[in-house]
Amino acid sequence: MELIVLWDIDHTLIENAGVSKEIYADAFSALSGRKPTGPARTEGRTDRLIMRDMFLRDGLPVPEWPSIEAALTQAGQERLHDLRLCGRALPGAHEALKAASLQSGWVSSVLTGNIAANARVKLSAFGLDPLLDLSVGAYGADAELRPELVAVARARIQRLRGAPADVPAVLVGDTPRDVEAALATGSGIVAVASGIHRPEELAAAGAPEVLPDLSDTKQVLRILESFTGRGKRPRTSSDRP
């Protein structure tokens, strides 16, 4: 095996058009019996953190995680139609995922703050789920902090796909938290400015190279391939002046 590629979902592969915040609000209301006082704060955080903070912000006790996950799952299923209607796959997402899936010796999966059920909802809404090995991904139920998800994905890929412990991993994401998770775990990073964060913010977080989006499939593949050792490795944060 040559490479593990772990893709973020929201604002990297898809635009959810605010449906994510509606899912969190629906789950909160189902559990508390009232609407939240404000929208969920997301920006690369995990579902565990997002939902906990919503309850704490409103001065309510935090329900047990199984109850929260069940409410999120139900809310995600109920919002699938809205997501298909209002959201979209981002430019180049389908082509980039397909290209990665065809590479011999690569495992291409997800590293996302979403719980697994809602990750599947979001990807299936735009036909992206068959292009990913979702059984070995890392999800928002697996840990509170994004860097911890990298170890979760690695362990699953080692157990289920026989990956050696030292196979390189690359994260693809749109937030400083994606960049920080990669740097904290010795992973590569392909940062894309297709969300709310500007290229300068992603570069300041430590991303050595920032793409506007995934629309240039050849460029995305070239950067990913460079982490296998077959090409020239991109600059790291320590290389920047």
Side-chain angles (χ1 to χ4, degrees), residues 196-214:
I196 65 171
H197 296 283
R198 301 186 307 276
E200 311 88 78
E201 295 177 82
L202 297 170
E209 189 164 3
V210 182
L211 303 178
D213 52 34
L214 298 171

Side-chain angles (χ1 to χ4, degrees), residues 93-110:
H94 185 277
E95 293 80 5
L97 291 180
K98 184 175 181 180
S101 73
L102 294 174
Q103 297 301 303
S104 177
W106 290 20
V107 171
S108 182
S109 189
V110 295

Side-chain angles (χ1 to χ4, degrees), residues 38-134:
R41 291 178 53 240
T42 54
E43 297 179 10
R45 298 158 82 232
T46 66
D47 280 0
R48 282 184 177 270
L49 283 180
I50 292 166
M51 291 299 294
R52 185 183 72 187
D53 286 359
M54 290 181 75
F55 281 93
L56 293 177
R57 180 187 60 192
D58 283 23
L60 297 175
V62 181
E64 293 295 322
W65 172 250
S67 298
I68 294 177
E69 186 169 15
L72 283 171
T73 299
Q74 181 66 30
Q77 291 171 346
E78 292 174 352
R79 290 287 181 174
L80 175 58
H81 174 73
D82 293 339
L83 186 61
R84 284 176 173 158
L85 187 66
C86 302
R88 61 190 173 94
L90 285 171
H94 185 277
E95 293 80 5
L97 291 180
K98 184 175 181 180
S101 73
L102 294 174
Q103 297 301 303
S104 177
W106 290 20
V107 171
S108 182
S109 189
V110 295
L111 189 142
T112 174
N114 291 282
I115 61 170
N118 288 348
R120 289 182 180 275
V121 164
K122 291 178 177 182
L123 294 166
S124 66
F126 310 107
L128 301 178
D129 51 319
L131 301 174
L132 291 155
D133 189 351
L134 296 178

Side-chain angles (χ1 to χ4, degrees), residues 11-40:
H11 311 299
T12 297
L13 297 176
I14 74 159
E15 169 54 54
N16 66 60
V19 174
S20 270
K21 293 187 186 297
E22 293 171 354
I23 290 172
Y24 295 122
D26 291 347
F28 178 94
S29 297
L31 292 165
S32 67
R34 73 186 206 193
K35 293 182 178 181
T37 57

Side-chain angles (χ1 to χ4, degrees), residues 146-148 150 171 176-189 205 237:
R146 207 169 190 94
E148 297 170 357
V150 178
L171 279 57
R177 282 189 172 87
D178 294 299
V179 179
E180 292 158 6
L183 297 179
T185 59
S187 305
I189 178 67
S237 56

